[in-house]
Amino acid sequence: MPAEPIFDYKRFNYDKPLFTLDDIRKVNPQRHEMEQLSGIVHVDTAQHGLIGFKEVTDDEFWIKGHMPGFPLMPGVMLCEAAAQLAGFYARKYDILKAGDYLGFGGMTDVRFRAPVYPNCRLIILARVTKYKEKRMAHFEFQGFVNDKQVYNGEMIGVPISRENEAR
């Protein structure tokens, strides 16, 4: 049974986001096909959470191959969208006080509850559940389409610095 939504995502205006794609680009490094957020409508720094969304269009790069004739948003892209939302919060509000980026440290208890198809709005909720400066941040996340929870889980973000780049 899906948990209740982390936040009341229905009360926000998704046509007038708090942070647009251009604003997100000032914080997140992903570009082109890897951009998985369209906007952010709510940030709650007291509860360390936020609500963002992705307009899933029929121009997504994965449509041709996943699955031909029956486009289904890959679970890995759903997870990437949640990670980009978490990364935006961690970097914008500098909760880790370290790193140039927030990288994947792992995911647990991820459940895909319903398929996501093109031409929908995927609403993503994320909240920090614990963090240690300079080390890691744990997030819980949920995704909704048409008021139905389509996925949820937990993830760990870790700071990544350009100076520590493996060569």
Side-chain angles (χ1 to χ4, degrees):
M1 187 77 157
E4 288 296 311
I6 299 168
F7 297 107
D8 180 8
Y9 64 89
K10 296 177 187 178
R11 64 186 182 97
F12 298 98
N13 184 348
Y14 292 82
D15 294 325
K16 295 188 186 280
L18 181 64
F19 295 100
T20 66
L21 179 57
D22 287 335
D23 299 322
I24 293 166
R25 286 176 175 156
K26 292 174 185 169
V27 178
N28 284 6
Q30 294 85 0
R31 293 295 182 271
H32 312 294
E33 296 86 1
M34 287 309 295
E35 290 178 304
Q36 298 302 307
L37 293 176
S38 302
I40 295 170
V41 296
H42 175 69
V43 174
D44 182 338
T45 55
Q47 292 189 49
H48 284 304
L50 70 170
I51 302 170
F53 65 99
K54 170 160 178 58
E55 299 293 356
V56 182
T57 70
D58 56 9
D59 292 330
E60 304 294 336
F61 76 91
W62 45 261
I63 287 179
K64 183 177 175 184
H66 198 269
M67 311 291 183
F70 186 67
L72 177 66
M73 189 170 183
V76 68
M77 298 312 298
L78 291 166
C79 292
E80 178 66 21
Q84 287 183 24
L85 185 64
F88 177 88
Y89 183 83
R91 295 298 307 140
K92 176 78 175 167
Y93 300 97
D94 198 22
I95 64 170
L96 294 181
K97 312 272 189 254
D100 299 309
Y101 307 108
L102 187 73
F104 259 133
M107 295 188 113
T108 58
D109 299 321
V110 177
R111 298 291 178 264
F112 301 103
R113 300 180 176 282
V116 176
Y117 304 106
N119 300 312
C120 74
R121 177 177 286 153
L122 171 64
I123 298 172
I124 310 153
L125 291 59
R127 178 171 56 193
V128 178
T129 55
K130 68 179 179 178
Y131 69 98
K132 294 181 183 176
E133 285 187 7
K134 301 185 187 324
R135 305 270 312 168
M136 60 77 199
H138 287 242
F139 293 84
E140 62 179 328
F141 63 89
Q142 300 170 324
F144 294 85
V145 173
N146 296 326
D147 295 329
K148 180 175 185 175
Q149 191 173 124
V150 295
Y151 75 125
N152 66 285
E154 299 174 9
M155 73 181 103
I156 299 168
V158 295
I160 296 177
S161 297
R162 289 177 185 239
E163 64 191 43
N164 295 336
E165 184 178 330
R167 301 217 187 249

